[in-house]
Amino acid sequence: MNCKTYGLVGLGLIGGSLAKALKRSQPDCRILAYTRSSETLRAAASQGIIDEVCHSPGDPKFKECGYVFLCAPVGANIHALEQLKDSVSPSCILTDVGSVKTEIHEAAARIGLEGSFIGGHPMTGSEKSGILNSQAHLFENSYYVITPTSKTDESRIQEYKELVSALGALHIVMDYRQHDFITAAVSHLPHVIAAALVNTVHDLDSKEEYMKLIAAGGFKDITRIASSSPEMWEQICIENAENISQVMDTFIQLMEQSRTAMIQGTGSEIYRAFERSRDYRDSFSSSPLGSIKKTYRIYCDIVDESGAIATIATILAVNNISIKNIGIVHNREFEEGVLRIEFYEEDPSLKAAEVLKQHRYKVWIR
């Protein structure tokens, strides 16, 4: 990689993580950034996440960049693309990180930037948003989809692949239309379903909120992504409506089949549905390569006494094991152990389990 100056439009979770990842992989690189929040810009500059502040998406400073990443919602990215047309050098690669590609590809063609624009989508993220939750390792071992245009030079695609590899991600090149149909199934519909499940419980809960109180681990796991940014998902659902709707038709059909089987008491159909889903789900790779990040956690039985949690936290700290979250599990359905400990990565979770077992704790890995 010869490029040492990068531009960012947008400094949320992905933009902030990208800045940190670029700095980690290329410590001497220079990063220029614009985002609509002046407070975020000042904080990013003061913390060394970026090197220089830009005052608009069309800031002339972006002419110094070899890459400009559009990390805002798609509507804002298209507006930025229009402004950047006359503010970047001909050799600059313009790209984005959006979850929907069709609209911005069509905009690039309309503006006359097909030779400079390459779509990008890092299949990673978190239910938490904002630069405060950004992480330099967010892209590691995750798929990063690259969607060239019909006018993209092969050398530029190869250069982009090298950059993606430097971030620790795994590049895949595909047509942007194919990308949007795939993400509708494996990312967009799951978020819609998670939101619908949470809203179902909300609408059916009693005034005492017993459903909310005793919501089990399984429910919390499959609805974790319902905590994602409403602003972002509003735009995604509108921008990729046709593909999501098509995938949703199949989902609704399967739900109707399940409901009919339950009402009619057709146990064999219910069994086959769960068997088919189990077998296909078990064939998935255990690696966290998708857009919905895997959570690494262990469960540990502890005695309900003062200082019990502090003792475990101290044991892990002494062994240089960082914890993402720790807390008591009050509902034990589908859960083993009373204390749940979450980690950012797999290796620390495995090391923590081994260390706690050495201290005679009973530990389960999930």
Side-chain angles (χ1 to χ4, degrees):
M1 291 299 303
N2 297 319
C3 173
K4 295 296 182 182
T5 302
Y6 300 92
L8 296 172
V9 176
L11 280 176
L13 174 70
I14 299 298
S17 296
L18 183 57
K20 292 178 179 179
L22 288 168
K23 283 289 187 182
R24 187 175 67 170
S25 64
Q26 303 175 48
D28 57 343
C29 77
R30 182 166 166 251
I31 297 179
L32 317 179
Y34 165 79
T35 194
R36 61 186 180 184
S37 168
S38 57
E39 182 179 343
T40 298
L41 278 174
R42 286 194 298 271
S46 66
Q47 295 171 28
I49 299 174
I50 65 173
D51 297 292
E52 197 166 337
V53 169
C54 293
H55 300 289
S56 73
D59 195 309
K61 294 176 184 176
F62 283 125
K63 194 176 289 291
E64 305 169 32
C65 298
Y67 280 79
V68 175
F69 291 85
L70 306 176
C71 305
V74 171
N77 283 343
I78 292 174
H79 180 63
L81 198 63
E82 294 169 343
Q83 296 185 63
L84 283 164
K85 179 180 180 180
D86 300 319
S87 301
V88 295
S89 68
S91 62
C92 179
I93 293 177
L94 294 168
T95 186
D96 74 321
V97 298
S99 180
V100 184
K101 305 257 71 81
T102 298
E103 191 172 349
I104 195 162
H105 267 272
E106 291 176 347
R110 184 175 64 253
I111 299 168
L113 288 173
E114 283 188 293
S116 300
F117 180 77
I118 303 176
H121 180 204
M123 300 288 289
T124 186
S126 166
E127 69 275 17
K128 304 299 183 184
S129 59
I131 194 171
L132 292 178
N133 295 295
S134 61
Q135 302 166 7
H137 63 269
L138 191 69
F139 307 98
E140 289 183 356
N141 299 315
S142 294
Y143 287 126
Y144 197 119
V145 181
I146 299 172
T147 59
T149 74
S150 59
K151 297 182 179 180
T152 304
D153 188 270
E154 185 61 37
S155 63
R156 290 194 164 194
I157 299 175
Q158 183 57 39
E159 182 182 333
Y160 201 161
K161 286 181 180 179
E162 293 173 6
L163 175 59
V164 168
S165 296
L167 297 177
L170 308 173
H171 52 74
I172 300 179
V173 179
M174 68 174 67
D175 179 79
Y176 66 87
R177 301 174 191 86
Q178 181 184 23
H179 165 276
D180 284 359
F181 184 70
I182 290 171
T183 54
V186 302
S187 176
H188 303 166
L189 181 60
H191 279 82
V192 174
I193 294 170
L197 280 173
V198 172
N199 289 332
T200 297
V201 169
H202 174 274
D203 293 347
L204 296 178
D205 207 355
S206 64
K207 64 179 181 180
E208 296 86 3
E209 295 192 324
Y210 287 141
M211 288 186 181
K212 178 180 178 181
L213 178 65
I214 65 174
F219 181 85
K220 290 179 180 178
D221 284 347
I222 63 176
T223 60
R224 174 172 54 87
I225 54 177
S227 296
S228 300
S229 165
E231 178 186 12
M232 178 179 71
W233 282 99
E234 174 192 6
Q235 293 206 21
I236 288 173
C237 287
I238 292 173
E239 292 150 8
N240 206 25
E242 184 176 347
N243 285 311
I244 298 173
S245 178
Q246 183 177 344
V247 174
M248 192 179 290
D249 286 341
T250 299
F251 177 76
I252 292 172
Q253 181 182 14
L254 292 172
M255 293 295 290
E256 292 284 2
Q257 290 175 2
S258 295
R259 180 168 64 178
T260 299
M262 286 186 286
I263 292 174
Q264 295 179 351
T266 312
S268 58
E269 288 191 22
I270 297 171
Y271 180 90
R272 279 196 298 271
F274 279 99
E275 181 183 45
R276 190 161 70 105
S277 67
R278 179 202 63 192
D279 293 346
Y280 187 56
R281 175 64 178 80
D282 288 350
S283 71
F284 289 6
S285 168
S286 60
S287 301
L289 300 175
S291 60
I292 304 173
K293 275 293 189 180
K294 181 176 179 180
T295 299
Y296 301 103
R297 56 179 172 267
I298 63 175
Y299 294 88
C300 179
D301 260 332
I302 61 173
V303 178
D304 186 11
E305 61 182 19
S306 178
I309 296 179
T311 299
I312 287 182
T314 300
I315 291 172
L316 298 180
V318 167
N319 286 273
N320 296 315
I321 300 173
S322 298
I323 298 173
K324 178 181 180 182
N325 200 3
I326 186 169
I328 297 291
V329 177
H330 294 289
N331 188 313
R332 299 284 286 272
E333 184 185 0
F334 304 120
E335 308 270 14
E336 304 96 347
V338 69
L339 186 68
R340 177 166 59 188
I341 312 172
E342 296 183 359
F343 305 85
Y344 289 104
E345 298 174 334
E346 183 176 24
D347 287 347
S349 70
L350 299 176
K351 182 179 178 181
E354 185 61 31
V355 167
L356 291 176
K357 287 177 182 178
Q358 292 173 3
H359 285 77
R360 301 188 181 280
Y361 285 98
K362 193 174 183 180
V363 178
W364 294 265
I365 301 174
R366 281 282 301 273

